[in-house]
Structures are given as C-alpha cells and as structure tokens.
Amino acid sequence: MDRILGLQPVEEFELWLEALASGYSQLAEADSSPEFGSVKANLQFQLQGYNKVIDDLLERSPTVVGEEIKHQTESLTTLSLEGDWLERVRHHKVLGRLMGDFFHLWDFLKRARILGRSLGRKKLTAKELKAFSWLLADHISKYLQSESHAYLTRRHQLSKYYLVLHREILTHVELDSTREELERIFRHLLKLLSTLSYAQKLMKGSFRFQQLTILLIYARFLCHGFLKLLEETQKYLGYYHPGLAEAFQAVRFALKIETRRIFGEELKNIGSQRGLEEIYSQLETGLGLLRNSVQQSFTSLVYELNPDFDEFKLFAELRQRREDSERLLADLREMYKIAVKEETKETNEGFQKLISALEHFEQGSMRTLFFKDWRPFEQFHKEFEASEKRERAFILHRFEVFVSTLIGEVGKRAILRSGEKAGTA
C-alpha cells in the first residue's frame, strides 16, 4: 500500500501536463496575488520553465506509448517496437483510435516547443507570455477531456486508489451518496500528496528550480481546489453526518491557515535570493511543511471514518521519521541538560562536554531538522569556539533558550504522538 503515492510513467506525464496548464490561471492573477511575486515578475524565467517542461513531456511521450503497448491484449503483442514503430501505432486499428488524441497532443507539443524557443530569443512581453500560456492551457484542457486521457488514466490512478479507499477508509460508510462525496475528497488528497512526494523526490535528484516552481504553483492550485471541495462536502455532511461535518470543518480551517502561512510567508517571493543554497533551503522547507500539513489532514480525516487505519502502511517513510524525531528529541534534551549544568559554565571540562555533544548532534540528528534550522547551531558552535570564559554564561543562556524552544516545537510533531500506534503496528 505504501506504493500508492508513487507515479507510473503515464501519471508523471499527466502531472506535468496539468501543472503546465495551471500556470496560465496563476499568471492571470499575478497582479492580485503576492505569492510567487518575484517568479511571476520574471517573464523570461517563466518561459524557460514552460519550455523545459515541454521538452520533458516530449521525452516522456514514447515511454507512455510503449507502456500502453505492453498492457494491451494478445492481439497487439505482435506489434513490433522496431524501426518507425510510432507510425505503426498511429495507424493501428485499435491502439491508433484509443491513442489518437494523445498523438494530436504530441504533435502540438512539438509545435509549441518551436514557438517557445522562438519567443525565448527575443525580448518577451507580458502579453506574449499570456498568449503562449493560454495556447498551452487550451490544448491541454481539450486533451484532458478526451477519450485518450480517459483511457490512459482509467487503469492507473483510479484503479490504484480504489482498494485503499474502499477497503481501508470508506469501509464503514453505508450511504452511497456520502461514499461518493468522501471518495472525491480522498482522491484529491492522494493526488496532492503524490504531487508533493514527486516534487521532493525531484529535489533529491537534480535541483531543477524552474520545473519545481511550476510544480509548486500546481500544488498551490490543488490546495485551493481541495479547500473548496472540503467546503462543499462539509455543507452536504451537515445534513446527514453533523459530527463528521464538524471534523471536516476543523481540518479545513487548520489547512487553510497552514497553506496561507506556507505560500504567503515561507515561499513568498521564492527565487528572489541570489544564492542557490538559500533558494534550495526555502523550497525544501516549504515543500516539507506543505507535505506534512496535507499528510496530517489526510490522517485526521481518515481517523474520523476508520479509527483503526494504519497510516504507517500508506506512508512508508513515517516509521523512519518517527525514529528520527525520537532520536532528535533525545539529543536536544541531552544537550540542554549539559548546557544548564553549573560545571559547563564554570569549568573547561564541562564546557568541552557541551562542544562534543554539539559536534555529535551536527553530524547526526541535526540532519533531520529543516535546513533553515541548521545555521543557528553552526553559529552557536562558532561562538563557543571563539568565546572567552567570561563570555560563556551569556552565550550559554541564549543557547539554552533556543534549544528549549526547539524541544517544544519538535515535541509537537504529530509523528511522535502517533508513536504508540506505530510501536504496535
């Protein structure tokens, strides 16, 4: 079940298509929304991002067709994948019809790549970028409503989510109309979680900031869509399941506040920094916070429907994250105990124990903190190393306050509150 958030080649292709199309709606509200302000203001940056995603889509297209051939009936096993096999697929009486809209999109993307590169060689205006964005969004929208799109996604995302939704989450929901409403909610949530997991995976491979920015804008689009779905479902549940409607309202309120903070503060004007390290840190923090928020929303809603649901089966990384969080909390508490001792302030031996504990922490569990939290420890380490004995008490006091605050923040992690359940899983 933990593989449900992974993406097959077809799903990756569809994800990038939808992300590309969502860019137009974001561009249209550039004047009214402060989020991603610096990205929106840089027209050339946006065009380069579009062009790179189009290149990626064209590279993925043969793989999508090849994967579909492998899953066809025996009558298609004789279709040779040698020579000009794509042309034979186009004219095949079965696959050619089912994949016809896909091939039309493929041809359009080839033309769009030429147009995008041509625009990139001149000084771009906002009007030209909007026209190019609209062209992309219009063609992609038509494809997403096509027979080929329905055919390609039918046996991937829909079938993949069916078992976990109906066997693990909605198993006790008896009313059909309620089941349909809840299924819409959880499909959207799982799609959002898949997108965020995919973005984090890309960051660990190669840091392609322009493409990741497009994914991030798409994630924001999905978040807003999910909040609207929650509101609609909450109104419906208010008549039939008041208790469940109240739980949905609480999740909606919490996620709305959290996404506003992440996109309005953590990710505000992303890319305006000059250093790649700062950009990476900002994106890593924002993506991590967003995924944790959506994941917590998912588990909170699931528990309302099935208290016995084991999220550790679905989110394989949770078990490791729980162990990492426990180790992090233990190391922070150990450092705090050493820091508050009188001998740390009064003797060189005690002070060196703190330095050793800090070095051990920096090489180990500190790596499970967000990148933005590394620097304070590194700065304190430098101050400790350079300090004279008479200055230590002041620096130690600041260190105690900082570590104490961090202990409180780490202790609030939901993954630690799920510890008892994880231990029996």
Side-chain angles (χ1 to χ4, degrees), residues 258-296:
E258 192 66 12
T259 51
R260 185 180 297 168
R261 179 177 72 86
I262 292 168
F263 288 109
E265 296 178 21
E266 296 291 342
L267 295 172
K268 185 177 181 180
N269 294 328
I270 188 168
S272 59
Q273 304 92 337
R274 294 185 179 181
L276 187 61
E277 185 180 271
E278 287 80 6
I279 294 174
Y280 186 95
S281 173
Q282 187 181 10
L283 188 56
E284 179 193 45
T285 300
L287 273 175
L289 289 172
L290 186 58
R291 187 170 188 271
N292 290 346
S293 299
V294 176
Q295 193 168 282
Q296 185 60 38

Side-chain angles (χ1 to χ4, degrees), residues 378-402:
E378 294 168 348
Q379 185 60 40
F380 273 117
H381 196 161
K382 290 178 182 177
E383 289 186 41
F384 286 148
E385 294 283 5
S387 67
E388 297 180 8
K389 188 173 182 180
R390 58 187 174 83
E391 301 172 321
R392 290 175 185 171
F394 174 69
I395 302 173
L396 281 168
H397 175 69
R398 288 171 41 231
F399 185 69
E400 290 165 19
V401 173
F402 170 70

Side-chain angles (χ1 to χ4, degrees), residues 47 68 76 109 154 159 164 181-182 196 216 311 325 370 413:
L47 179 63
E68 290 315 302
L76 294 183
L109 289 174
R154 189 178 298 123
S159 60
V164 69
E181 286 293 320
L182 295 176
L196 296 172
L216 196 59
E311 72 270 33
S325 294
F370 282 120
R413 289 183 177 182

Side-chain angles (χ1 to χ4, degrees), residues 120-132:
R121 288 193 289 267
K122 61 187 287 295
K123 186 176 181 180
L124 189 68
T125 66
K127 188 175 181 180
E128 288 172 329
L129 181 61
K130 284 192 176 184
F132 183 61

Side-chain angles (χ1 to χ4, degrees), residues 7 19 26 56 64 100 133 238 256 366 382 392 424:
L7 298 178
Q26 299 295 322
D56 282 349
V64 171
S133 301
K256 187 176 183 179
M366 186 181 80
K382 290 178 182 177
R392 290 175 185 171
T424 59

Side-chain angles (χ1 to χ4, degrees), residues 238-251:
Y239 293 101
Y240 302 101
H241 305 280
L244 196 57
E246 187 176 335
F248 271 56
Q249 182 179 13
V251 169

